[in-house]
Amino acid sequence: DAKTTQPTSMDCAEGRAANLPCNHSTISGNEYVYWYRQIHSQGPQYIIHGLKNNETNEMASLIITEDRKSSTLILPHATLRDTAVYYCIVRDKYNFNKFYFGSGTKLNVKP
Amino acid sequence: ETGVTQTPRHLVMGMTNKKSLKCEQHLGHNAMYWYKQSAKKPLELMFVYNFKEQTENNSVPSRFSPECPNSSHLFLHLHTLQPEDSALYLCASSPSGRSSNYGYTFGSGTRLTVV
């Protein structure tokens, strides 16, 4: 599996953009990058995913570098309710039914 | 509500008890999963079912026994657990298939405490 590396924690001021980085330097050509988040003691929630192009939905934007070795999740206007652990996951190419979760980034949105 | 329902939300059991966790989804998904999340640890994949057949057992001790009677229901039967088995147990579902486009939908989890 392509491993991902994320910072342990980040702070963000309420109303500002939160930019969460992820390194996945061993990603292979057909593997997607997924982002999930987990608010304390709840199940992870899907945010967004992408392959090569940048993606945007109502929750966030995903920027993938041209070499696909890293990506950034952007929450354009962070709120206190966005405080959570954010997981960057690369989908296993040969075992398509598995998502492996790392330690993620704890985002603290502060007033 | 995500469409994946787990019951009970909280469970306290003794080490000699037998209990079961239930997961139900009506999203039309054919793959279901059990994950375990211990305190301050990443989620650990335990079992994978595709079309009611177990396709993955991630070296889980036999005191955890999964059951998938149909594509909408998944159980985790528990017996003679240890205090270190206390954790948040999460169920997820997804469409089954080789497309890399499918994500998982998670339930809210069962918080299990073994005393």
Side-chain angles (χ1 to χ4, degrees), chain A residues 30 32 34 36 38 41-46 49 87 91 93-103, chain B residues 31 33 35 37 42-43 45 48 50 56 88 90 94 96-98 100-104 106-108 111:
Chain A
N30 293 324
Y32 282 71
Y34 283 77
Y36 278 75
Q38 186 176 22
S41 293
Q42 297 181 23
Q45 175 192 22
Y46 166 82
H49 74 280
Y87 298 99
R91 187 66 174 268
K93 178 179 182 180
Y94 297 106
N95 292 292
F96 53 93
N97 269 155
K98 294 184 185 180
F99 270 117
Y100 290 103
F101 287 78
S103 299
Chain B
Y33 315 83
Y35 279 84
Q37 189 172 33
L43 279 79
L45 179 64
V48 179
N50 279 278
E56 186 81 18
L88 180 67
L90 290 157
S94 74
S96 189
R98 287 201 169 268
S100 293
N101 220 18
Y102 297 141
Y104 287 12
F106 282 86
S108 298
R111 172 70 62 186

Side-chain angles (χ1 to χ4, degrees), chain A residues 27 51 53 90 100 107:
Chain A
I27 193 170
L51 181 63
N53 300 318
V90 174
Y100 290 103
L107 176 68

